[in-house]
Amino acid sequence: MAVSTSNESTTAVVEGAAIRPFRIEVPQEELDELRRRLQATRWPERETVADQSQGVPLGMIQKLARYWMTDYDWRTVEAQLNALPQFITEIDGLNIHFIHVRSQHEDALPLIVNHGWPGSIIEQLKIIHRLTDPTAHGANAADAFHVVVPSMPGYGFSGKPATTGWGPERMGRAWDELMQRLGYTRYVAQGGDWGAFVVDQMGLQAPEGLLAIHTNMPATVPADVDKASLAGEPPPSGLSAEERRAYEQLLRTYEQVEYARMMASRPQTLYGIADSPVGLAAWLLDHNDADGQPAAAVVAALDRTTSDTGELTRDEVLDNITLYWLTNTGVSASRLYWEYKGGFFNAKGVSIPVAVTVFPGEQYQAPRSWAEQAYSNLIYFNEVDQGGHFAAWEQPELFAREIRAAFTSLREKGRLS
Amino acid sequence: MSTTVETATEIRTFDIEFPQEKIDDLRRRIAATRLPSKELVEDRSQGVQLATIQKLARYWTTEYDFSRVEAQLNALPQFTTEIDGVDIHFIHVRSQHEDALPLIMTHGWPGSVIELLETVGPLTDPTAHGGTRDDAFHLVLPSLPGYGFSSEPAELGWDAARTGRAWAELMRRLGYTRYVAQGGDVGALVTDLMGRQAVEGLVGYHLNLLTAVLAIGDHLPKESEEERAAAAAVATFREDGFGYFLEMATRPQTIGYALLDSPVALAAWMLDHDTDSYYKITRAFVDGEPVGNLTRDTIVDNITLYWLTGTAASAARSYWEDARALAAALASGQPPPAVTVPVGFTTFPGEIWASPRSWVEAVYPGLAYFNEVDKGGHFAAWEEPQLFSEEVRAAFKALR
């Protein structure tokens, strides 16, 4: 008995470490069931304001729901995902789903890209080929990346943790294990939103193989400013105009995080995002950016049926919501907020090389002065003029250019050889 | 023109009738519920536990009798009347004792008139419930605008102060020129604002929640053990128990979609109120050991009322209105108007913050009645209707 158990567990470890190919095949009855629920939606009455100050407006969500249950086609994105090499591997007791696209350029730089909430791997689909195949996208072979895009634990096709403890710190360690398992001994990491928290934690952990991180939601706020902004107090004296603007943006953001407060305290109470498709859609849509809540960039996408330049479209917004629905991960994803007890935008003391891109629609526009203090080894800093909180999703071309530029100096130094 | 006005101020009798197809649809939806994975903890720290919700859903579809509460409500005299553009639903039970004291009592969130039903007997018919005829009240139990069978305001501005003015109009319309008021939770806010607006006819009021703590809590004393415990409870609530409050105060429409479309979402949202009542309700469903009148039936009655009237979003919106009003009041820098009528207060031990006498006196300097009782929580009238009624009698004794 003991021998058999021991054998079994050995086998299990081997199987766990194994990397298994993965394909998505959602049964038709699940898609039918989603349509049925959408058709049976019981709506509240209209909001009593003419703007978005009471939440996602009835007219907006009804229009989206109508398209979702009539013309939207999940099979399109399913085929798009299945055209990419996808895998599952068990790390730290949990199945991790990831996309892994190797560049044809063998000496490409390995890169792990971490999505956020209310996002998923869907956010990153448009940047993958721009990064793995730069010569087809106006860049050089020397800019190539081998790209790994994991689904965070509790998100998408990764497993749902059954025990507490899967915060960004543990995810960071899991991503290092994943990169090692893929044979990448030197790599870089990128993230926005929760992905930014994870790459900051990876920066603090500084595993041997991690050369640098790039973040599009940098944590740069000095301690005194952080304290004042969280308390809603006047800013410390001596801020430059740019810092003052960032401070005002932080105050605005902290008035738009009630969804985060709810998920950080009572994620399990959100039964409605498991049981009601429109309940889920409204909850996911109500994330802010600098220009609105719901995010102005996402609201604009709801009226964009196609885009030649890669801008966010209505279908992509629904791809992401539908992924949450079909995997029933609304609540398990919310638990990440409950797990994390650390600070938000405060400087955390990362000392490995860091690259930062500031997008204008982000929660706050990190001033260079703060970025230089927060990241003692800042290798790249750039402010761009388009894109927001969902930068990779909104402006994939610009985003890919930034990622290439961010890590150029690492390649030039020949640290990769 | 004049006909319209007369029609509007008319008081119409009201009976509840739950259409069978709505009940069938509700049952169907509960049975088809798609649940999330189980929480990762053994307590309520991640929210309403899966086992509690599963037990509640099961009870709701299999054992719960939808016609009982309908009959219970219809056994009471119910009316609607239009005030300030909103149809107000209310229960109005006159005592057999003609000189009884008129009392308007206001429920809160996530409550309704269901919370108050078991106080009707003790308050209107005291001699049958351990009191004397001098304890009798003529009782008015309105449904807040946007809640239950009152209609949903379609325009902005229905904050608690406006509701308070509507209650004064309601009492005037009922012919009560000298009356008292009572409230807990949102009802406490409405009642207090009736006092601060000095509405005509109000001669005193009783509260079982000190809502001022949310505005001026930082300025209340924290010296004695009791005061420190209350301050700690307020801090815990703000830190950990405030999620639902903030969501409704800022994004009522967003959460409304889930609450209108999913009965289980609605049930969970309503159960996730305060720690004390959550565990009491969980005991009723999971362990079959209800506390006081917080029974499975009355809990499901209240949730069913929200569901069948489709009022979760409009009720949540009252938080949005009150939060705006509070922010405006704080921004004005002006203290609220002083209260000129006697105020009574009862502290129930399970309340979110059990207010010490010193806090209540700081808010109401001329406090006319104060008592701390030994059982009951946030839903005091619901959980302990007899004890609660005795407190209301005692609080208003001096006004008779």
Side-chain angles (χ1 to χ4, degrees):
Chain A
M1 198 56 189
V3 172
S4 141
T5 306
S6 153
N7 281 349
E8 274 171 20
S9 66
T10 309
T11 314
V13 169
V14 172
E15 278 180 4
I19 293 173
R20 308 183 295 277
F22 179 81
R23 281 178 63 82
I24 300 161
E25 278 160 32
V26 174
Q28 186 57 40
E29 59 261 34
E30 288 190 25
L31 298 176
D32 295 343
E33 168 70 5
L34 169 56
R35 282 219 167 86
R36 195 195 60 71
R37 283 180 187 255
L38 283 167
Q39 270 155 4
T41 299
R42 201 178 75 135
W43 298 100
E45 72 288 359
R46 199 183 160 280
E47 63 281 357
T48 52
V49 290
D51 57 22
Q52 294 160 8
S53 63
Q54 290 182 346
V56 179
L58 183 67
M60 183 187 293
I61 191 109
Q62 283 188 326
K63 191 175 167 195
L64 185 67
R66 207 153 40 237
Y67 175 73
W68 198 6
M69 69 183 173
T70 52
D71 293 328
Y72 171 75
D73 181 17
W74 163 259
R75 296 299 183 198
T76 305
V77 72
E78 188 178 270
Q80 194 187 347
L81 284 164
N82 285 336
L84 295 166
Q86 294 174 85
F87 305 91
I88 297 266
T89 191
E90 190 186 315
I91 300 178
D92 200 0
L94 200 69
N95 275 337
I96 299 296
H97 164 260
F98 62 100
I99 297 167
H100 179 202
V101 183
R102 280 187 65 85
S103 172
Q104 60 184 324
H105 308 290
E106 270 308 308
D107 57 349
L109 179 59
L111 164 70
I112 183 164
V113 186
N114 194 142
H115 68 82
W117 189 94
S120 64
I121 52 167
I122 302 285
E123 288 181 70
Q124 325 296 352
L125 294 182
K126 290 178 295 195
I127 62 168
I128 293 174
H129 286 118
R130 289 180 160 93
L131 295 173
T132 59
D133 192 7
T135 54
H137 295 89
N140 302 320
D143 293 321
F145 293 90
H146 300 306
V147 176
V148 178
V149 183
S151 298
M152 288 195 286
Y155 286 69
F157 298 101
S158 281
K160 297 169 190 168
T163 53
T164 59
W166 274 101
E169 304 88 344
R170 189 161 168 185
M171 288 186 195
R173 289 191 292 272
W175 290 176
D176 181 58
E177 168 61 22
L178 175 60
M179 293 305 267
Q180 287 187 44
R181 209 173 276 183
L182 294 172
Y184 296 133
T185 52
R186 287 156 173 265
Y187 65 92
V188 292
Q190 197 287 326
D193 194 83
W194 276 108
F197 285 75
V198 174
V199 296
D200 267 336
Q201 291 302 322
M202 293 177 80
L204 290 171
Q205 291 159 6
E208 202 183 334
L210 181 65
L211 300 176
I213 61 172
H214 173 270
T215 171
N216 55 295
M217 197 178 82
T220 69
V221 181
D224 57 341
V225 180
D226 189 52
K227 187 163 168 286
S229 62
L230 284 167
E233 288 165 1
S237 56
L239 298 187
S240 70
E242 208 185 7
E243 292 166 344
R244 176 74 192 222
R245 181 187 64 179
Y247 175 83
E248 301 292 338
Q249 291 168 333
L250 288 168
L251 290 189
R252 193 245 320 122
T253 288
Y254 292 143
E255 285 179 0
Q256 295 175 321
V257 291
E258 65 299 305
Y259 70 91
R261 290 279 301 268
M262 185 64 210
M263 297 196 293
S265 57
R266 300 281 186 271
Q268 191 70 24
T269 297
L270 293 167
Y271 286 88
I273 65 177
D275 192 34
S276 164
V278 297
L280 173 68
W283 192 252
L284 297 181
L285 282 177
D286 213 9
H287 190 289
N288 70 321
D289 65 10
D291 303 304
Q293 184 187 24
V298 174
V299 171
L302 298 182
D303 289 323
R304 193 179 292 123
T305 53
T306 57
S307 171
D308 294 335
T309 51
E311 281 182 299
L312 189 57
T313 65
R314 179 176 61 180
D315 277 337
E316 289 174 277
V317 173
L318 281 175
D319 291 343
N320 184 55
I321 296 171
T322 308
L323 178 68
Y324 272 80
W325 176 263
L326 294 173
T327 54
N328 193 5
T329 46
V331 169
S332 55
S334 299
R335 291 191 192 119
L336 176 53
Y337 285 83
W338 187 91
E339 290 288 349
Y340 183 67
K341 310 293 181 201
F344 284 97
F345 301 120
N346 60 312
K348 296 183 175 63
V350 176
S351 58
I352 70 163
V354 176
V356 170
T357 304
V358 177
F359 289 87
E362 190 47 89
Q363 302 299 332
Y364 78 106
Q365 286 172 274
R368 180 189 284 269
S369 55
W370 288 359
E372 284 172 347
Q373 289 169 47
Y375 298 115
S376 55
N377 194 350
L378 188 69
I379 58 169
Y380 180 83
F381 181 91
N382 193 27
E383 283 181 286
V384 294
D385 59 3
Q386 282 182 297
H389 183 71
F390 303 100
W393 214 12
E394 295 172 37
Q395 296 292 335
E397 187 62 45
L398 173 59
F399 188 85
R401 277 206 303 273
E402 282 300 302
I403 302 302
R404 290 178 199 133
F407 297 118
T408 299
S409 65
L410 284 185
R411 301 181 197 246
E412 283 165 355
K413 282 180 189 160
R415 290 181 57 178
L416 303 171
S417 55
Chain B
M1 255 330 246
S2 68
T3 314
T4 312
V5 172
E6 279 167 24
T7 311
T9 58
E10 172 186 54
I11 294 172
R12 302 176 297 272
T13 57
F14 182 83
D15 269 316
I16 293 159
E17 210 178 318
F18 294 148
Q20 188 57 41
E21 67 265 25
K22 280 198 180 188
I23 293 171
D24 294 343
D25 178 64
L26 169 56
R27 280 217 177 94
R28 210 169 26 242
R29 283 173 187 265
I30 301 167
T33 299
R34 196 177 76 152
L35 293 166
S37 54
K38 184 184 171 297
E39 68 281 355
L40 313 182
V41 292
E42 299 302 319
D43 56 22
R44 81 174 286 246
S45 66
Q46 289 191 334
V48 176
Q49 292 156 287
L50 187 63
T52 302
I53 267 303
Q54 283 176 314
K55 291 269 188 187
L56 186 152
R58 190 175 170 73
Y59 182 77
W60 206 354
T61 51
T62 57
E63 292 180 56
Y64 178 70
D65 175 7
F66 284 84
S67 60
R68 188 188 40 74
V69 70
E70 193 178 346
Q72 189 186 1
L73 284 166
N74 286 338
L76 295 167
Q78 295 176 87
F79 306 90
T80 61
T81 190
E82 189 187 318
I83 302 178
D84 200 5
V86 171
D87 272 334
I88 299 298
H89 163 261
F90 62 101
I91 295 167
H92 180 201
V93 182
R94 280 188 64 86
S95 174
Q96 59 184 324
H97 308 291
E98 269 309 308
D99 56 348
L101 183 60
L103 164 65
I104 183 163
M105 206 152 83
T106 310
H107 68 84
W109 189 94
S112 64
V113 291
I114 303 283
E115 286 180 66
L116 308 173
L117 294 183
E118 294 302 319
T119 66
V120 172
L123 292 176
T124 64
D125 189 8
T127 53
H129 296 86
T132 68
R133 54 172 300 146
D134 297 336
D135 294 322
F137 295 92
H138 299 308
L139 189 59
V140 178
L141 306 177
S143 298
L144 288 165
Y147 289 66
F149 298 101
S150 284
S151 68
E152 300 168 1
E155 58 171 353
L156 288 180
W158 272 96
D159 56 18
R162 185 161 171 184
T163 302
R165 294 192 296 274
W167 282 187
E169 167 60 16
L170 175 60
M171 293 304 267
R172 191 196 63 78
R173 223 173 263 186
L174 293 172
Y176 295 132
T177 53
R178 182 180 184 276
Y179 63 90
V180 294
Q182 199 288 328
D185 195 81
V186 175
L189 189 61
V190 171
T191 302
D192 185 50
L193 288 166
M194 290 173 78
R196 293 189 187 275
Q197 295 176 101
V199 297
E200 204 180 332
L202 181 73
V203 296
Y205 60 96
H206 173 263
L207 305 169
N208 54 301
L209 181 70
L210 193 64
T211 56
V213 166
L214 289 174
I216 59 155
D218 292 346
H219 306 293
L220 293 167
K222 294 167 194 70
E223 324 256 302
S224 71
E225 196 179 317
E226 240 188 331
E227 290 163 353
R228 285 199 307 271
V234 173
T236 300
F237 176 68
R238 282 191 169 282
E239 185 63 31
D240 186 58
F242 213 50
Y244 80 94
F245 189 107
L246 211 52
E247 179 65 22
M248 299 204 298
T250 57
R251 316 299 287 172
Q253 191 73 17
T254 297
I255 193 63
Y257 298 111
L259 305 185
L260 267 287
D261 195 33
S262 164
V264 157
L266 175 66
W269 193 253
M270 293 172 70
L271 255 50
D272 198 352
H273 188 259
D274 62 285
T275 304
D276 177 71
S277 74
Y278 172 77
Y279 283 122
K280 284 171 178 166
I281 291 169
T282 290
R283 278 178 62 181
F285 285 99
V286 177
D287 308 321
E289 290 172 8
V291 179
N293 185 46
L294 276 178
T295 62
R296 293 190 298 184
D297 275 335
T298 64
I299 293 158
V300 175
D301 287 346
N302 186 49
I303 299 169
T304 302
L305 180 70
Y306 272 76
W307 178 266
L308 292 175
T309 56
T311 46
S314 53
R317 199 174 296 125
S318 74
Y319 276 63
W320 186 91
E321 291 280 3
D322 288 333
R324 295 223 154 180
L326 177 64
L330 290 174
S332 77
Q334 301 292 315
V339 178
T340 54
V341 297
V343 175
F345 194 94
T346 305
T347 294
F348 289 85
E351 186 53 271
I352 306 175
W353 50 88
S355 296
R357 178 192 282 266
S358 60
W359 283 21
V360 185
E361 280 177 339
V363 178
Y364 304 105
L367 188 65
Y369 176 85
F370 178 84
N371 193 23
E372 260 182 279
V373 291
D374 60 359
K375 57 180 179 173
H378 183 74
F379 301 101
W382 192 354
E383 186 186 333
E384 299 293 346
Q386 181 65 31
L387 173 61
F388 178 87
S389 300
E390 284 162 14
E391 283 302 302
V392 173
R393 289 175 194 157
F396 293 122
K397 195 141 246 156
L399 286 176
R400 293 176 189 264

